[in-house]
Amino acid sequence: MKTITKIIATSAAVVALLFTTNANAQTAPRNLGIGLNVGAGTTTGVGLVIGGDIRYQFNVDKQLSIPVTAGYNNFSRKDSYGGGSFGIIPVKAGAKYFFNDSGSGAYGLAELGAGFGTEKGSGTSFVYSPAIGYSWSNGLDLAAKYEGYSNNGSMGFAGIRLAYGFSL
């Protein structure tokens, strides 16, 4: 009898925990943003960088968010380095901290992840991307950022990200 009581009590606790977690996840604010990245290569031979991304942002509270970002960046090679271009698909996660408690305004952002090269044999890079920015309450977001890639050497770009976010 005692074993059956323990099983029933444990099952009830697990079900209650699942319902509580699900209810909190559904009421927590989330955002989906679409951004445009434009920058200049910080590595010899790399010129203009243009890309886009989609960012899902889970708001922990008014000041702290957990963003998950995926996109595509096109790097142009300078003519003296053979010209042409190559692409990288960065997939990152991080933390975004607003400097006030309104949920908008100035913020700092740090993301880490992987960058998947689109050229044959380019492999996967470690990606790191710090940024500072400003987010308006109407959904617009502007940030100055650096995005670095490390894979048998390093390269990166400094630029801006202009985005628009939708509340979910």
Side-chain angles (χ1 to χ4, degrees):
M1 267 318 201
K2 289 184 181 182
T3 304
I4 292 174
T5 305
K6 287 180 185 177
I7 291 171
I8 292 172
T10 303
S11 299
V14 168
V15 169
L17 180 62
L18 289 174
F19 277 109
T20 303
T21 304
N22 191 27
N24 286 337
Q26 289 177 356
T27 60
R30 299 173 308 265
N31 296 331
L32 182 65
I34 299 172
L36 172 67
N37 298 298
V38 178
T42 58
T43 308
T44 304
V46 178
L48 180 67
V49 179
I50 297 177
D53 61 40
I54 295 175
R55 176 176 290 159
Y56 176 80
Q57 184 171 293
F58 174 77
N59 299 328
V60 177
D61 61 27
K62 291 259 186 195
Q63 286 186 278
L64 181 64
S65 299
I66 306 299
V68 177
T69 308
Y72 175 80
N73 291 318
N74 185 27
F75 292 76
S76 63
R77 289 186 185 103
K78 294 181 179 176
D79 289 337
S80 57
Y81 288 87
S85 65
F86 61 95
I88 296 180
I89 300 169
V91 178
K92 307 171 287 185
K96 184 176 186 180
Y97 181 78
F98 287 95
F99 298 120
N100 64 45
D101 61 359
S102 70
S104 61
Y107 65 83
L109 170 70
E111 292 181 297
L112 301 173
F116 304 97
T118 59
E119 286 188 336
K120 186 174 183 170
S122 58
T124 303
S125 302
F126 171 71
V127 178
Y128 52 98
S129 183
I132 56 169
Y134 194 90
S135 179
W136 287 268
S137 58
N138 65 2
L140 286 177
D141 189 310
L142 181 64
K145 65 182 275 181
Y146 175 78
E147 189 157 300
Y149 300 88
S150 180
N151 177 7
N152 296 326
S154 63
M155 60 170 261
F157 74 93
I160 60 170
R161 178 180 188 264
L162 178 62
Y164 185 76
F166 306 91
S167 293
L168 299 176

